[in-house]
Amino acid sequence: MGIRTGIALIFLAAFAFVAAEDGESKESVIEQLVVETLVMPETCTITSEMGDTLQIHYTGRLMDGKVIDTSLSREPLVVELGKRSVITGLEQALVGVCEGQKIKATIPAHLAYGKRGYPPTIPGDSTLEFEVEVISLSQQTPWQKLVNDVLPLLCLALVPTLLGLVGLYLYNKAHAQPQGKKKNKDKKSKKK
């Protein structure tokens, strides 16, 4: 690709900084996800898509620089895109990345922990900053794609069908003549 380390790319173009006054201090509030590339590998043939599985190392910070979580002292975090195993903003930032790529994602509160935050570590309405290194990228297999995309739709179609069949069975059972009366009618018609 020819893009070198240190060149910043903005994937989701919308830097929307709004100045907000809080007493005498001024604070910048970010309203949309901003993703910068810190390190881009020399070759990037496969980019991540929804359904792919990534192994990542990350460091999450508040905007004042306080570290809220990091995976650097643990095993890499396994993230399957689309399964909501991480906050929404981080998952969105991980779509379109390559193995070996490092990004910095600035995530607004509504794509992170929202108004409630995650007490006591993350205050409400906090913008977060994540530095992420993609250790490995595994694309979903056709079988996984079938299970993740087609099977739920198939199940959605089967539920009304099964309910209809159960209803038909119950209707037929309710309107069927009892066996005992049918035999009596047959005997009476034979006698005549």
Side-chain angles (χ1 to χ4, degrees):
M1 264 199 153
I3 299 175
R4 299 271 183 220
T5 303
I7 296 177
L9 290 176
I10 308 294
F11 285 116
L12 299 172
F15 250 107
F17 283 103
V18 176
E21 294 213 10
D22 183 19
E24 293 180 11
S25 66
K26 288 192 175 181
E27 184 182 317
S28 291
V29 177
I30 187 165
E31 293 181 350
Q32 294 183 339
L33 177 65
V34 177
V35 181
E36 299 175 49
T37 295
L38 303 175
V39 175
M40 188 69 160
E42 287 294 320
T43 58
C44 179
T45 56
I46 301 172
T47 58
S48 62
E49 299 173 359
M50 283 296 183
D52 292 348
T53 302
L54 304 172
Q55 286 190 359
I56 62 170
H57 271 304
Y58 67 92
T59 300
R61 293 182 176 85
L62 296 173
M63 293 308 286
D64 64 5
K66 179 183 173 195
V67 175
I68 55 171
D69 192 15
T70 184
S71 69
L72 296 176
S73 61
R74 305 186 298 254
E75 292 291 317
L77 176 67
V78 177
V79 178
E80 187 175 340
L81 298 178
K83 295 290 184 179
R84 298 183 183 188
S85 58
V86 293
I87 58 175
T88 304
L90 184 56
E91 186 173 70
Q92 289 176 7
L94 292 172
V95 174
V97 296
C98 301
E99 190 172 312
Q101 185 173 350
K102 289 184 183 180
I103 61 170
K104 180 169 99 175
T106 306
I107 303 170
H110 69 277
L111 294 176
Y113 292 98
K115 293 181 186 292
R116 292 178 58 193
Y118 193 77
T121 312
I122 303 169
D125 282 328
S126 293
T127 298
L128 304 177
E129 189 173 85
F130 278 85
E131 286 187 20
V132 180
E133 178 182 6
V134 181
I135 306 299
S136 71
L137 165 63
S138 302
Q139 290 187 304
Q140 69 177 350
T141 63
W143 176 250
Q144 287 172 316
K145 188 167 182 64
L146 179 73
V147 169
N148 291 337
D149 297 344
V150 177
L151 194 60
L153 293 175
L154 184 63
C155 289
L156 228 96
L158 285 178
V159 168
T161 304
L162 289 174
L163 288 175
L165 289 172
V166 168
L168 181 63
Y169 169 77
L170 293 174
Y171 175 80
N172 288 336
K173 187 176 180 180
H175 286 85
Q177 290 182 348
Q179 287 289 18
K181 288 182 180 178
K182 188 175 182 183
K183 287 181 182 177
N184 288 340
K185 284 183 183 178
D186 288 342
K187 286 179 184 177
K188 286 180 185 177
S189 62
K190 287 182 182 178
K191 286 181 183 179
K192 291 181 182 179

mmCIF file of all heavy atoms in Angstrom, residues 60-103:
data_model
loop_
_atom_site.group_PDB
_atom_site.id
_atom_site.type_symbol
_atom_site.label_atom_id
_atom_site.label_comp_id
_atom_site.label_asym_id
_atom_site.label_seq_id
_atom_site.Cartn_x
_atom_site.Cartn_y
_atom_site.Cartn_z
ATOM 1 N N GLY A 60 -6.993 1.632 26.694
ATOM 2 C CA GLY A 60 -8.085 2.600 26.706
ATOM 3 C C GLY A 60 -7.811 3.682 27.728
ATOM 4 O O GLY A 60 -7.366 3.405 28.845
ATOM 5 N N ARG A 61 -8.052 4.928 27.322
ATOM 6 C CA ARG A 61 -7.812 6.080 28.204
ATOM 7 C C ARG A 61 -8.996 7.029 28.178
ATOM 8 O O ARG A 61 -9.719 7.109 27.191
ATOM 9 C CB ARG A 61 -6.592 6.870 27.720
ATOM 10 C CG ARG A 61 -5.287 6.164 27.821
ATOM 11 C CD ARG A 61 -4.141 7.095 27.358
ATOM 12 N NE ARG A 61 -2.858 6.475 27.540
ATOM 13 C CZ ARG A 61 -2.281 5.653 26.669
ATOM 14 N NH1 ARG A 61 -2.876 5.379 25.539
ATOM 15 N NH2 ARG A 61 -1.105 5.124 26.921
ATOM 16 N N LEU A 62 -9.127 7.759 29.283
ATOM 17 C CA LEU A 62 -10.014 8.906 29.284
ATOM 18 C C LEU A 62 -9.294 10.032 28.547
ATOM 19 O O LEU A 62 -8.081 9.960 28.313
ATOM 20 C CB LEU A 62 -10.339 9.330 30.718
ATOM 21 C CG LEU A 62 -11.120 8.318 31.566
ATOM 22 C CD1 LEU A 62 -11.210 8.796 33.009
ATOM 23 C CD2 LEU A 62 -12.508 8.083 30.994
ATOM 24 N N MET A 63 -9.990 11.082 28.214
ATOM 25 C CA MET A 63 -9.370 12.175 27.466
ATOM 26 C C MET A 63 -8.306 12.915 28.288
ATOM 27 O O MET A 63 -7.432 13.567 27.716
ATOM 28 C CB MET A 63 -10.428 13.152 26.945
ATOM 29 C CG MET A 63 -11.334 12.554 25.876
ATOM 30 S SD MET A 63 -10.450 11.784 24.506
ATOM 31 C CE MET A 63 -9.873 13.202 23.629
ATOM 32 N N ASP A 64 -8.335 12.795 29.609
ATOM 33 C CA ASP A 64 -7.299 13.420 30.435
ATOM 34 C C ASP A 64 -6.032 12.563 30.516
ATOM 35 O O ASP A 64 -5.067 12.912 31.186
ATOM 36 C CB ASP A 64 -7.830 13.740 31.836
ATOM 37 C CG ASP A 64 -8.217 12.494 32.636
ATOM 38 O OD1 ASP A 64 -7.997 11.363 32.153
ATOM 39 O OD2 ASP A 64 -8.749 12.656 33.755
ATOM 40 N N GLY A 65 -6.035 11.390 29.827
ATOM 41 C CA GLY A 65 -4.859 10.528 29.784
ATOM 42 C C GLY A 65 -4.869 9.380 30.775
ATOM 43 O O GLY A 65 -4.006 8.502 30.716
ATOM 44 N N LYS A 66 -5.850 9.341 31.681
ATOM 45 C CA LYS A 66 -5.923 8.278 32.679
ATOM 46 C C LYS A 66 -6.265 6.956 31.997
ATOM 47 O O LYS A 66 -7.260 6.837 31.287
ATOM 48 C CB LYS A 66 -6.988 8.612 33.721
ATOM 49 C CG LYS A 66 -7.151 7.545 34.775
ATOM 50 C CD LYS A 66 -8.282 7.887 35.742
ATOM 51 C CE LYS A 66 -8.532 6.710 36.668
ATOM 52 N NZ LYS A 66 -9.805 6.860 37.362
ATOM 53 N N VAL A 67 -5.428 5.923 32.213
ATOM 54 C CA VAL A 67 -5.650 4.604 31.625
ATOM 55 C C VAL A 67 -6.800 3.923 32.356
ATOM 56 O O VAL A 67 -6.786 3.796 33.580
ATOM 57 C CB VAL A 67 -4.371 3.735 31.692
ATOM 58 C CG1 VAL A 67 -4.646 2.323 31.199
ATOM 59 C CG2 VAL A 67 -3.250 4.369 30.888
ATOM 60 N N ILE A 68 -7.784 3.474 31.591
ATOM 61 C CA ILE A 68 -8.938 2.786 32.187
ATOM 62 C C ILE A 68 -8.835 1.274 32.044
ATOM 63 O O ILE A 68 -9.388 0.532 32.839
ATOM 64 C CB ILE A 68 -10.267 3.289 31.592
ATOM 65 C CG1 ILE A 68 -10.254 3.173 30.067
ATOM 66 C CG2 ILE A 68 -10.562 4.702 32.039
ATOM 67 C CD1 ILE A 68 -11.571 3.430 29.398
ATOM 68 N N ASP A 69 -8.123 0.822 31.005
ATOM 69 C CA ASP A 69 -7.951 -0.618 30.809
ATOM 70 C C ASP A 69 -6.873 -0.843 29.756
ATOM 71 O O ASP A 69 -6.693 -0.031 28.855
ATOM 72 C CB ASP A 69 -9.261 -1.259 30.339
ATOM 73 C CG ASP A 69 -9.223 -2.789 30.408
ATOM 74 O OD1 ASP A 69 -8.328 -3.344 31.074
ATOM 75 O OD2 ASP A 69 -10.098 -3.421 29.793
ATOM 76 N N THR A 70 -6.179 -1.956 29.871
ATOM 77 C CA THR A 70 -5.176 -2.329 28.882
ATOM 78 C C THR A 70 -5.057 -3.840 28.845
ATOM 79 O O THR A 70 -5.263 -4.515 29.854
ATOM 80 C CB THR A 70 -3.804 -1.686 29.171
ATOM 81 O OG1 THR A 70 -2.909 -2.016 28.108
ATOM 82 C CG2 THR A 70 -3.232 -2.124 30.497
ATOM 83 N N SER A 71 -4.729 -4.350 27.674
ATOM 84 C CA SER A 71 -4.535 -5.800 27.528
ATOM 85 C C SER A 71 -3.056 -6.142 27.395
ATOM 86 O O SER A 71 -2.720 -7.308 27.195
ATOM 87 C CB SER A 71 -5.283 -6.305 26.289
ATOM 88 O OG SER A 71 -4.660 -5.817 25.117
ATOM 89 N N LEU A 72 -2.187 -5.170 27.515
ATOM 90 C CA LEU A 72 -0.766 -5.387 27.273
ATOM 91 C C LEU A 72 -0.142 -6.379 28.251
ATOM 92 O O LEU A 72 0.822 -7.059 27.909
ATOM 93 C CB LEU A 72 -0.010 -4.063 27.291
ATOM 94 C CG LEU A 72 -0.415 -3.082 26.176
ATOM 95 C CD1 LEU A 72 0.318 -1.759 26.335
ATOM 96 C CD2 LEU A 72 -0.184 -3.685 24.806
ATOM 97 N N SER A 73 -0.680 -6.483 29.451
ATOM 98 C CA SER A 73 -0.131 -7.422 30.430
ATOM 99 C C SER A 73 -0.859 -8.768 30.406
ATOM 100 O O SER A 73 -0.570 -9.646 31.206
ATOM 101 C CB SER A 73 -0.217 -6.817 31.831
ATOM 102 O OG SER A 73 -1.569 -6.568 32.160
ATOM 103 N N ARG A 74 -1.800 -8.917 29.483
ATOM 104 C CA ARG A 74 -2.578 -10.153 29.363
ATOM 105 C C ARG A 74 -2.446 -10.707 27.947
ATOM 106 O O ARG A 74 -1.750 -10.153 27.101
ATOM 107 C CB ARG A 74 -4.070 -9.857 29.622
ATOM 108 C CG ARG A 74 -4.355 -9.187 30.938
ATOM 109 C CD ARG A 74 -5.855 -9.062 31.167
ATOM 110 N NE ARG A 74 -6.554 -8.251 30.185
ATOM 111 C CZ ARG A 74 -7.009 -7.032 30.407
ATOM 112 N NH1 ARG A 74 -6.817 -6.448 31.578
ATOM 113 N NH2 ARG A 74 -7.652 -6.374 29.478
ATOM 114 N N GLU A 75 -3.168 -11.785 27.713
ATOM 115 C CA GLU A 75 -3.270 -12.335 26.360
ATOM 116 C C GLU A 75 -4.062 -11.341 25.503
ATOM 117 O O GLU A 75 -4.885 -10.587 26.019
ATOM 118 C CB GLU A 75 -4.023 -13.677 26.396
ATOM 119 C CG GLU A 75 -3.278 -14.793 27.079
ATOM 120 C CD GLU A 75 -2.059 -15.240 26.286
ATOM 121 O OE1 GLU A 75 -2.160 -15.369 25.058
ATOM 122 O OE2 GLU A 75 -1.003 -15.435 26.911
ATOM 123 N N PRO A 76 -3.838 -11.350 24.185
ATOM 124 C CA PRO A 76 -4.630 -10.460 23.324
ATOM 125 C C PRO A 76 -6.121 -10.745 23.461
ATOM 126 O O PRO A 76 -6.528 -11.886 23.682
ATOM 127 C CB PRO A 76 -4.145 -10.786 21.910
ATOM 128 C CG PRO A 76 -2.819 -11.426 22.084
ATOM 129 C CD PRO A 76 -2.854 -12.118 23.418
ATOM 130 N N LEU A 77 -6.914 -9.702 23.328
ATOM 131 C CA LEU A 77 -8.363 -9.831 23.385
ATOM 132 C C LEU A 77 -8.860 -10.357 22.044
ATOM 133 O O LEU A 77 -8.455 -9.868 20.988
ATOM 134 C CB LEU A 77 -9.002 -8.464 23.673
ATOM 135 C CG LEU A 77 -10.520 -8.404 23.683
ATOM 136 C CD1 LEU A 77 -11.076 -9.200 24.862
ATOM 137 C CD2 LEU A 77 -10.997 -6.963 23.754
ATOM 138 N N VAL A 78 -9.743 -11.342 22.068
ATOM 139 C CA VAL A 78 -10.337 -11.892 20.855
ATOM 140 C C VAL A 78 -11.678 -11.198 20.642
ATOM 141 O O VAL A 78 -12.543 -11.216 21.513
ATOM 142 C CB VAL A 78 -10.527 -13.420 20.962
ATOM 143 C CG1 VAL A 78 -11.222 -13.966 19.731
ATOM 144 C CG2 VAL A 78 -9.191 -14.104 21.182
ATOM 145 N N VAL A 79 -11.826 -10.573 19.467
ATOM 146 C CA VAL A 79 -13.041 -9.828 19.139
ATOM 147 C C VAL A 79 -13.609 -10.379 17.841
ATOM 148 O O VAL A 79 -12.932 -10.383 16.814
ATOM 149 C CB VAL A 79 -12.738 -8.317 18.958
ATOM 150 C CG1 VAL A 79 -13.996 -7.559 18.557
ATOM 151 C CG2 VAL A 79 -12.125 -7.742 20.207
ATOM 152 N N GLU A 80 -14.853 -10.854 17.898
ATOM 153 C CA GLU A 80 -15.548 -11.247 16.670
ATOM 154 C C GLU A 80 -16.456 -10.084 16.290
ATOM 155 O O GLU A 80 -17.396 -9.756 17.027
ATOM 156 C CB GLU A 80 -16.350 -12.526 16.866
ATOM 157 C CG GLU A 80 -16.932 -13.038 15.565
ATOM 158 C CD GLU A 80 -17.630 -14.382 15.699
ATOM 159 O OE1 GLU A 80 -17.369 -15.104 16.667
ATOM 160 O OE2 GLU A 80 -18.444 -14.685 14.810
ATOM 161 N N LEU A 81 -16.138 -9.449 15.175
ATOM 162 C CA LEU A 81 -16.880 -8.262 14.755
ATOM 163 C C LEU A 81 -18.341 -8.606 14.486
ATOM 164 O O LEU A 81 -18.645 -9.573 13.809
ATOM 165 C CB LEU A 81 -16.238 -7.640 13.515
ATOM 166 C CG LEU A 81 -14.811 -7.142 13.696
ATOM 167 C CD1 LEU A 81 -14.260 -6.592 12.385
ATOM 168 C CD2 LEU A 81 -14.733 -6.084 14.784
ATOM 169 N N GLY A 82 -19.226 -7.806 15.055
ATOM 170 C CA GLY A 82 -20.656 -8.029 14.899
ATOM 171 C C GLY A 82 -21.292 -8.731 16.079
ATOM 172 O O GLY A 82 -22.508 -8.820 16.166
ATOM 173 N N LYS A 83 -20.493 -9.229 17.012
ATOM 174 C CA LYS A 83 -21.021 -9.952 18.176
ATOM 175 C C LYS A 83 -21.161 -9.059 19.408
ATOM 176 O O LYS A 83 -21.549 -9.522 20.466
ATOM 177 C CB LYS A 83 -20.131 -11.152 18.527
ATOM 178 C CG LYS A 83 -20.105 -12.221 17.468
ATOM 179 C CD LYS A 83 -21.419 -12.932 17.383
ATOM 180 C CE LYS A 83 -21.318 -14.068 16.372
ATOM 181 N NZ LYS A 83 -22.542 -14.798 16.254
ATOM 182 N N ARG A 84 -20.794 -7.799 19.280
ATOM 183 C CA ARG A 84 -20.921 -6.811 20.361
ATOM 184 C C ARG A 84 -20.181 -7.226 21.630
ATOM 185 O O ARG A 84 -20.685 -7.079 22.737
ATOM 186 C CB ARG A 84 -22.378 -6.529 20.657
ATOM 187 C CG ARG A 84 -23.106 -5.945 19.487
ATOM 188 C CD ARG A 84 -24.516 -5.608 19.821
ATOM 189 N NE ARG A 84 -25.187 -5.105 18.632
ATOM 190 C CZ ARG A 84 -26.385 -4.584 18.640
ATOM 191 N NH1 ARG A 84 -27.045 -4.502 19.765
ATOM 192 N NH2 ARG A 84 -26.923 -4.159 17.530
ATOM 193 N N SER A 85 -18.980 -7.762 21.453
ATOM 194 C CA SER A 85 -18.184 -8.158 22.607
ATOM 195 C C SER A 85 -17.363 -6.997 23.162
ATOM 196 O O SER A 85 -16.758 -7.111 24.219
ATOM 197 C CB SER A 85 -17.271 -9.334 22.252
ATOM 198 O OG SER A 85 -16.429 -8.989 21.172
ATOM 199 N N VAL A 86 -17.318 -5.886 22.431
ATOM 200 C CA VAL A 86 -16.644 -4.669 22.884
ATOM 201 C C VAL A 86 -17.616 -3.503 22.662
ATOM 202 O O VAL A 86 -18.658 -3.679 22.038
ATOM 203 C CB VAL A 86 -15.317 -4.417 22.120
ATOM 204 C CG1 VAL A 86 -14.297 -5.477 22.451
ATOM 205 C CG2 VAL A 86 -15.531 -4.334 20.623
ATOM 206 N N ILE A 87 -17.258 -2.328 23.146
ATOM 207 C CA ILE A 87 -18.146 -1.181 22.980
ATOM 208 C C ILE A 87 -18.331 -0.881 21.486
ATOM 209 O O ILE A 87 -17.465 -1.160 20.657
ATOM 210 C CB ILE A 87 -17.639 0.067 23.742
ATOM 211 C CG1 ILE A 87 -16.244 0.468 23.281
ATOM 212 C CG2 ILE A 87 -17.708 -0.154 25.242
ATOM 213 C CD1 ILE A 87 -15.738 1.759 23.909
ATOM 214 N N THR A 88 -19.458 -0.299 21.147
ATOM 215 C CA THR A 88 -19.838 -0.055 19.760
ATOM 216 C C THR A 88 -18.789 0.734 18.987
ATOM 217 O O THR A 88 -18.454 0.384 17.860
ATOM 218 C CB THR A 88 -21.191 0.690 19.719
ATOM 219 O OG1 THR A 88 -22.150 -0.071 20.444
ATOM 220 C CG2 THR A 88 -21.667 0.882 18.296
ATOM 221 N N GLY A 89 -18.272 1.791 19.574
ATOM 222 C CA GLY A 89 -17.295 2.628 18.885
ATOM 223 C C GLY A 89 -16.018 1.882 18.548
ATOM 224 O O GLY A 89 -15.455 2.060 17.467
ATOM 225 N N LEU A 90 -15.558 1.021 19.454
ATOM 226 C CA LEU A 90 -14.352 0.253 19.200
ATOM 227 C C LEU A 90 -14.606 -0.774 18.100
ATOM 228 O O LEU A 90 -13.771 -0.967 17.211
ATOM 229 C CB LEU A 90 -13.865 -0.433 20.475
ATOM 230 C CG LEU A 90 -12.543 -1.191 20.373
ATOM 231 C CD1 LEU A 90 -11.419 -0.285 19.873
ATOM 232 C CD2 LEU A 90 -12.168 -1.797 21.702
ATOM 233 N N GLU A 91 -15.757 -1.404 18.129
ATOM 234 C CA GLU A 91 -16.091 -2.375 17.090
ATOM 235 C C GLU A 91 -16.135 -1.696 15.712
ATOM 236 O O GLU A 91 -15.606 -2.221 14.739
ATOM 237 C CB GLU A 91 -17.426 -3.040 17.398
ATOM 238 C CG GLU A 91 -17.769 -4.154 16.432
ATOM 239 C CD GLU A 91 -19.006 -4.911 16.858
ATOM 240 O OE1 GLU A 91 -20.106 -4.340 16.784
ATOM 241 O OE2 GLU A 91 -18.858 -6.074 17.255
ATOM 242 N N GLN A 92 -16.740 -0.519 15.635
ATOM 243 C CA GLN A 92 -16.790 0.216 14.371
ATOM 244 C C GLN A 92 -15.389 0.602 13.904
ATOM 245 O O GLN A 92 -15.090 0.561 12.712
ATOM 246 C CB GLN A 92 -17.650 1.472 14.511
ATOM 247 C CG GLN A 92 -19.123 1.190 14.639
ATOM 248 C CD GLN A 92 -19.944 2.440 14.877
ATOM 249 O OE1 GLN A 92 -19.446 3.565 14.829
ATOM 250 N NE2 GLN A 92 -21.230 2.258 15.125
ATOM 251 N N ALA A 93 -14.521 0.964 14.826
ATOM 252 C CA ALA A 93 -13.156 1.353 14.483
ATOM 253 C C ALA A 93 -12.351 0.179 13.947
ATOM 254 O O ALA A 93 -11.402 0.367 13.180
ATOM 255 C CB ALA A 93 -12.456 1.957 15.703
ATOM 256 N N LEU A 94 -12.710 -1.042 14.334
ATOM 257 C CA LEU A 94 -11.963 -2.221 13.922
ATOM 258 C C LEU A 94 -12.376 -2.761 12.554
ATOM 259 O O LEU A 94 -11.738 -3.664 12.028
ATOM 260 C CB LEU A 94 -12.096 -3.326 14.977
ATOM 261 C CG LEU A 94 -11.406 -3.028 16.304
ATOM 262 C CD1 LEU A 94 -11.756 -4.084 17.343
ATOM 263 C CD2 LEU A 94 -9.899 -2.927 16.121
ATOM 264 N N VAL A 95 -13.420 -2.216 11.961
ATOM 265 C CA VAL A 95 -13.830 -2.634 10.621
ATOM 266 C C VAL A 95 -12.923 -1.935 9.609
ATOM 267 O O VAL A 95 -12.749 -0.724 9.644
ATOM 268 C CB VAL A 95 -15.306 -2.283 10.348
ATOM 269 C CG1 VAL A 95 -15.682 -2.586 8.907
ATOM 270 C CG2 VAL A 95 -16.207 -3.046 11.300
ATOM 271 N N GLY A 96 -12.303 -2.715 8.736
ATOM 272 C CA GLY A 96 -11.439 -2.156 7.699
ATOM 273 C C GLY A 96 -9.972 -2.074 8.066
ATOM 274 O O GLY A 96 -9.199 -1.415 7.388
ATOM 275 N N VAL A 97 -9.570 -2.761 9.132
ATOM 276 C CA VAL A 97 -8.155 -2.739 9.539
ATOM 277 C C VAL A 97 -7.435 -3.983 9.021
ATOM 278 O O VAL A 97 -8.057 -4.975 8.659
ATOM 279 C CB VAL A 97 -7.991 -2.639 11.079
ATOM 280 C CG1 VAL A 97 -8.549 -1.331 11.595
ATOM 281 C CG2 VAL A 97 -8.630 -3.817 11.782
ATOM 282 N N CYS A 98 -6.102 -3.902 8.998
ATOM 283 C CA CYS A 98 -5.253 -5.007 8.533
ATOM 284 C C CYS A 98 -4.520 -5.623 9.712
ATOM 285 O O CYS A 98 -4.339 -4.983 10.742
ATOM 286 C CB CYS A 98 -4.184 -4.492 7.575
ATOM 287 S SG CYS A 98 -4.814 -3.685 6.125
ATOM 288 N N GLU A 99 -4.054 -6.835 9.516
ATOM 289 C CA GLU A 99 -3.192 -7.472 10.502
ATOM 290 C C GLU A 99 -1.903 -6.667 10.601
ATOM 291 O O GLU A 99 -1.307 -6.303 9.585
ATOM 292 C CB GLU A 99 -2.885 -8.904 10.067
ATOM 293 C CG GLU A 99 -2.201 -9.724 11.117
ATOM 294 C CD GLU A 99 -2.093 -11.185 10.716
ATOM 295 O OE1 GLU A 99 -3.109 -11.762 10.275
ATOM 296 O OE2 GLU A 99 -0.988 -11.734 10.850
ATOM 297 N N GLY A 100 -1.491 -6.343 11.820
ATOM 298 C CA GLY A 100 -0.278 -5.560 12.036
ATOM 299 C C GLY A 100 -0.510 -4.057 12.092
ATOM 300 O O GLY A 100 0.388 -3.289 12.409
ATOM 301 N N GLN A 101 -1.715 -3.622 11.831
ATOM 302 C CA GLN A 101 -2.032 -2.190 11.845
ATOM 303 C C GLN A 101 -2.248 -1.708 13.272
ATOM 304 O O GLN A 101 -2.765 -2.434 14.119
ATOM 305 C CB GLN A 101 -3.287 -1.928 11.008
ATOM 306 C CG GLN A 101 -3.645 -0.472 10.848
ATOM 307 C CD GLN A 101 -4.794 -0.265 9.859
ATOM 308 O OE1 GLN A 101 -5.206 -1.177 9.158
ATOM 309 N NE2 GLN A 101 -5.301 0.944 9.811
ATOM 310 N N LYS A 102 -1.816 -0.471 13.547
ATOM 311 C CA LYS A 102 -2.085 0.172 14.835
ATOM 312 C C LYS A 102 -2.940 1.394 14.563
ATOM 313 O O LYS A 102 -2.641 2.183 13.664
ATOM 314 C CB LYS A 102 -0.790 0.598 15.528
ATOM 315 C CG LYS A 102 0.035 -0.549 16.044
ATOM 316 C CD LYS A 102 1.254 -0.048 16.804
ATOM 317 C CE LYS A 102 2.119 -1.208 17.258
ATOM 318 N NZ LYS A 102 3.307 -0.760 17.988
ATOM 319 N N ILE A 103 -3.994 1.523 15.354
ATOM 320 C CA ILE A 103 -4.895 2.666 15.193
ATOM 321 C C ILE A 103 -5.112 3.363 16.522
ATOM 322 O O ILE A 103 -4.860 2.793 17.586
ATOM 323 C CB ILE A 103 -6.266 2.243 14.613
ATOM 324 C CG1 ILE A 103 -6.990 1.252 15.555
ATOM 325 C CG2 ILE A 103 -6.128 1.687 13.213
ATOM 326 C CD1 ILE A 103 -8.427 0.987 15.183
#
